[in-house]
Coordinates of all heavy atoms in Angstrom, one line a residue:
D70 N 76.1 114.0 182.3 CA 77.2 114.5 183.1 C 76.8 114.8 184.5 O 75.6 115.1 184.8 CB 77.7 115.8 182.4 CG 76.9 117.0 182.6 OD1 75.9 117.2 181.9 OD2 77.2 117.7 183.6
A72 N 77.6 117.4 186.4 CA 77.6 118.8 186.8 C 76.2 119.4 186.4 O 75.6 120.0 187.3 CB 78.7 119.6 186.1
T73 N 75.8 119.2 185.2 CA 74.5 119.8 184.7 C 73.4 118.8 184.5 O 72.3 119.1 184.2 CB 74.7 120.6 183.5 OG1 75.0 119.7 182.4 CG2 75.9 121.6 183.6
S75 N 73.0 117.0 181.8 CA 72.7 117.0 180.4 C 72.8 115.6 179.9 O 73.7 114.8 180.4 CB 73.6 117.9 179.6 OG 73.6 119.2 180.1
C76 N 71.9 115.2 179.0 CA 71.9 113.8 178.5 C 72.6 113.7 177.2 O 72.5 114.6 176.4 CB 70.4 113.3 178.3 SG 70.3 111.6 177.8
F77 N 73.4 112.6 177.1 CA 74.2 112.3 175.9 C 73.9 110.9 175.4 O 73.6 110.0 176.2 CB 75.7 112.5 176.2 CG 76.1 113.8 176.7 CD1 76.1 114.1 178.1 CD2 76.6 114.8 175.8 CE1 76.5 115.3 178.5 CE2 77.0 116.0 176.3 CZ 76.9 116.3 177.7
L90 N 92.5 118.6 182.5 CA 92.3 118.9 183.9 C 91.0 118.4 184.3 O 90.0 118.6 183.6 CB 92.4 120.4 184.1 CG 93.8 121.0 183.9 CD1 93.7 122.6 183.9 CD2 94.8 120.5 184.9
L92 N 87.7 118.6 186.6 CA 86.8 119.5 187.4 C 86.1 118.7 188.4 O 85.5 117.6 188.2 CB 85.8 120.2 186.5 CG 86.3 121.0 185.3 CD1 85.2 121.7 184.6 CD2 87.3 122.0 185.8
K120 N 66.2 113.8 170.1 CA 67.6 113.7 169.7 C 67.9 112.2 169.2 O 69.0 112.0 168.7 CB 68.5 114.0 170.9 CG 68.5 115.4 171.2 CD 69.4 115.7 172.5 CE 69.4 117.2 172.8 NZ 70.2 117.4 174.1
L151 N 84.0 113.0 180.7 CA 83.4 113.8 179.5 C 84.5 114.9 179.3 O 84.8 115.7 180.1 CB 82.1 114.4 179.9 CG 81.6 115.6 179.0 CD1 81.3 115.1 177.6 CD2 80.3 116.2 179.6
R152 N 85.0 115.0 178.0 CA 86.0 116.0 177.7 C 85.3 117.2 177.1 O 84.5 117.1 176.2 CB 87.0 115.5 176.7 CG 87.9 116.6 176.2 CD 88.9 116.0 175.1 NE 89.9 115.3 175.7 CZ 91.0 115.8 176.3 NH1 91.1 117.1 176.4 NH2 92.0 115.0 176.8
L153 N 85.5 118.4 177.7 CA 85.0 119.6 177.2 C 86.3 120.4 176.8 O 87.2 120.7 177.6 CB 84.2 120.4 178.2 CG 83.0 119.7 178.7 CD1 82.4 120.5 179.9 CD2 81.9 119.6 177.6
T154 N 86.3 120.8 175.5 CA 87.5 121.6 175.0 C 87.2 123.1 175.2 O 86.2 123.6 174.8 CB 87.8 121.3 173.5 OG1 88.0 119.9 173.4 CG2 89.0 122.0 173.0
T155 N 88.2 123.8 175.8 CA 88.1 125.2 176.0 C 89.3 125.9 175.4 O 90.4 125.5 175.6 CB 88.0 125.5 177.5 OG1 86.9 124.9 178.1 CG2 88.0 127.0 177.7
E156 N 89.0 127.0 174.6 CA 90.0 127.8 174.1 C 90.1 129.1 174.9 O 89.1 129.8 175.1 CB 89.8 128.1 172.6 CG 89.9 126.9 171.7 CD 89.8 127.3 170.2 OE1 89.3 128.5 169.9 OE2 90.1 126.5 169.3
F157 N 91.3 129.4 175.3 CA 91.6 130.7 176.0 C 92.2 131.6 175.0 O 93.2 131.4 174.4 CB 92.6 130.4 177.2 CG 92.0 129.6 178.3 CD1 92.1 128.2 178.3 CD2 91.3 130.2 179.3 CE1 91.6 127.5 179.3 CE2 90.7 129.4 180.3 CZ 90.9 128.1 180.3
V166 N 89.6 137.2 176.7 CA 88.3 137.2 176.1 C 87.4 136.2 176.8 O 87.9 135.1 177.2 CB 88.4 136.8 174.6 CG1 87.0 136.6 174.0 CG2 89.2 137.8 173.8
E167 N 86.1 136.5 177.0 CA 85.2 135.7 177.8 C 85.1 134.3 177.1 O 85.0 134.2 175.9 CB 83.8 136.3 177.8 CG 82.8 135.5 178.7 CD 81.5 136.3 178.8 OE1 81.5 137.5 178.5 OE2 80.5 135.6 179.2
R168 N 85.2 133.2 177.9 CA 85.1 131.9 177.4 C 83.8 131.6 176.8 O 82.7 132.0 177.3 CB 85.4 130.8 178.5 CG 86.8 131.0 179.1 CD 87.2 129.8 180.0 NE 86.4 129.7 181.2 CZ 86.6 130.4 182.3 NH1 87.7 131.2 182.3 NH2 85.9 130.3 183.3
E169 N 83.7 130.7 175.8 CA 82.5 130.4 175.1 C 81.8 129.3 175.9 O 82.4 128.5 176.7 CB 82.8 129.9 173.7 CG 83.4 131.0 172.8 CD 83.7 130.5 171.4 OE1 83.5 129.3 171.1 OE2 84.2 131.3 170.6
D170 N 80.4 129.2 175.7 CA 79.6 128.2 176.3 C 79.7 126.9 175.5 O 80.3 126.8 174.4 CB 78.1 128.6 176.4 CG 77.9 129.7 177.4 OD1 78.8 129.9 178.3 OD2 76.9 130.5 177.3
Y171 N 79.2 125.8 176.1 CA 79.3 124.5 175.5 C 77.9 124.1 175.0 O 76.9 124.0 175.8 CB 79.7 123.5 176.6 CG 81.0 123.8 177.2 CD1 81.0 124.4 178.5 CD2 82.2 123.7 176.6 CE1 82.2 124.8 179.1 CE2 83.4 124.0 177.2 CZ 83.4 124.6 178.5 OH 84.6 125.0 179.1
E172 N 77.8 123.9 173.7 CA 76.5 123.5 173.1 C 76.0 122.2 173.6 O 74.8 121.9 173.6 CB 76.7 123.5 171.6 CG 77.0 124.9 170.9 CD 77.1 124.8 169.4 OE1 76.8 123.7 168.9 OE2 77.3 125.9 168.8
L173 N 76.9 121.3 174.0 CA 76.5 120.0 174.5 C 75.7 120.0 175.7 O 74.9 119.1 176.0 CB 77.8 119.1 174.7 CG 78.6 118.7 173.5 CD1 79.9 118.1 174.0 CD2 77.9 117.7 172.7
L174 N 75.9 121.1 176.5 CA 75.3 121.1 177.9 C 74.0 121.9 177.9 O 73.9 122.9 177.1 CB 76.3 121.7 178.9 CG 77.6 121.0 179.0 CD1 78.5 121.7 180.0 CD2 77.5 119.5 179.4
N175 N 73.1 121.6 178.8 CA 71.9 122.3 179.0 C 72.2 123.7 179.5 O 71.5 124.7 179.2 CB 70.9 121.6 179.9 CG 70.4 120.3 179.4 OD1 70.3 120.1 178.2 ND2 70.1 119.4 180.2
S176 N 73.2 123.8 180.4 CA 73.6 125.0 180.9 C 75.2 125.0 181.1 O 75.7 124.0 181.7 CB 73.0 125.3 182.3 OG 73.5 126.4 183.0
S177 N 75.8 126.0 180.7 CA 77.3 126.1 180.9 C 77.8 126.8 182.1 O 78.9 126.7 182.5 CB 77.9 126.8 179.6 OG 77.6 126.1 178.5
E178 N 76.8 127.5 182.8 CA 77.2 128.4 183.9 C 77.9 127.6 185.0 O 78.9 128.0 185.6 CB 75.9 129.1 184.4 CG 76.2 130.1 185.6 CD 75.0 130.8 186.0 OE1 73.9 130.7 185.4 OE2 75.1 131.5 187.1
C179 N 77.3 126.4 185.3 CA 77.8 125.6 186.4 C 79.3 125.1 186.1 O 80.1 125.2 186.9 CB 76.9 124.4 186.6 SG 77.6 123.2 187.8
V180 N 79.5 124.8 184.8 CA 80.8 124.3 184.4 C 81.8 125.4 184.5 O 83.0 125.2 184.9 CB 80.8 123.6 183.0 CG1 82.2 123.3 182.6 CG2 79.9 122.4 183.1
H181 N 81.4 126.6 184.0 CA 82.3 127.8 184.1 C 82.7 128.1 185.6 O 83.8 128.5 185.8 CB 81.7 129.0 183.4 CG 81.7 128.9 181.9 ND1 82.9 128.8 181.3 CD2 80.8 129.1 181.0 CE1 82.7 128.8 179.9 NE2 81.4 128.9 179.8
E182 N 81.8 127.9 186.5 CA 82.1 128.1 187.9 C 83.1 127.1 188.4 O 84.0 127.4 189.1 CB 80.8 128.0 188.7 CG 79.8 129.2 188.5 CD 78.5 129.1 189.3 OE1 78.4 128.0 190.0 OE2 77.7 130.0 189.2
L183 N 82.9 125.8 188.0 CA 83.8 124.8 188.4 C 85.2 125.0 187.8 O 86.3 124.8 188.4 CB 83.4 123.4 187.9 CG 82.1 122.8 188.5 CD1 81.7 121.5 187.9 CD2 82.2 122.7 190.0
M184 N 85.3 125.6 186.5 CA 86.5 125.9 185.9 C 87.2 127.0 186.7 O 88.4 127.0 186.9 CB 86.3 126.3 184.5 CG 86.0 125.2 183.5 SD 85.8 125.8 181.8 CE 87.3 126.5 181.5
A185 N 86.4 128.0 187.1 CA 87.0 129.1 187.9 C 87.6 128.7 189.2 O 88.7 129.2 189.6 CB 85.9 130.2 188.2
E187 N 88.9 125.7 189.7 CA 90.2 124.9 189.3 C 91.3 125.9 188.9 O 92.4 125.7 189.3 CB 89.9 123.9 188.2 CG 91.1 123.0 187.8 CD 91.5 122.1 188.9 OE1 90.8 122.0 190.0 OE2 92.6 121.5 188.8
I188 N 90.9 126.9 188.2 CA 91.9 127.9 187.7 C 92.5 128.7 188.9 O 93.7 128.9 189.0 CB 91.3 128.9 186.7 CG1 91.0 128.2 185.4 CG2 92.1 130.2 186.6 CD1 90.2 129.0 184.4
V383 N 94.9 131.9 182.7 CA 95.9 130.7 182.6 C 97.2 131.2 182.1 O 97.3 132.3 181.6 CB 95.3 129.6 181.8 CG1 94.0 129.0 182.3 CG2 95.1 130.1 180.3

Side-chain angles (χ1 to χ4, degrees):
D70 78 273
T73 68
S75 304
C76 182
F77 301 87
L90 293 170
L92 301 183
K120 289 176 180 178
L151 164 66
R152 173 180 285 279
L153 297 173
T154 300
T155 298
E156 289 187 348
F157 292 90
V166 174
E167 186 175 343
R168 298 191 295 275
E169 295 178 0
D170 288 339
Y171 305 101
E172 293 182 3
L173 290 170
L174 304 178
N175 295 333
S176 170
S177 299
E178 184 178 350
C179 174
V180 174
H181 281 306
E182 288 177 1
L183 294 176
M184 285 179 63
E187 183 66 8
I188 287 171
V383 298

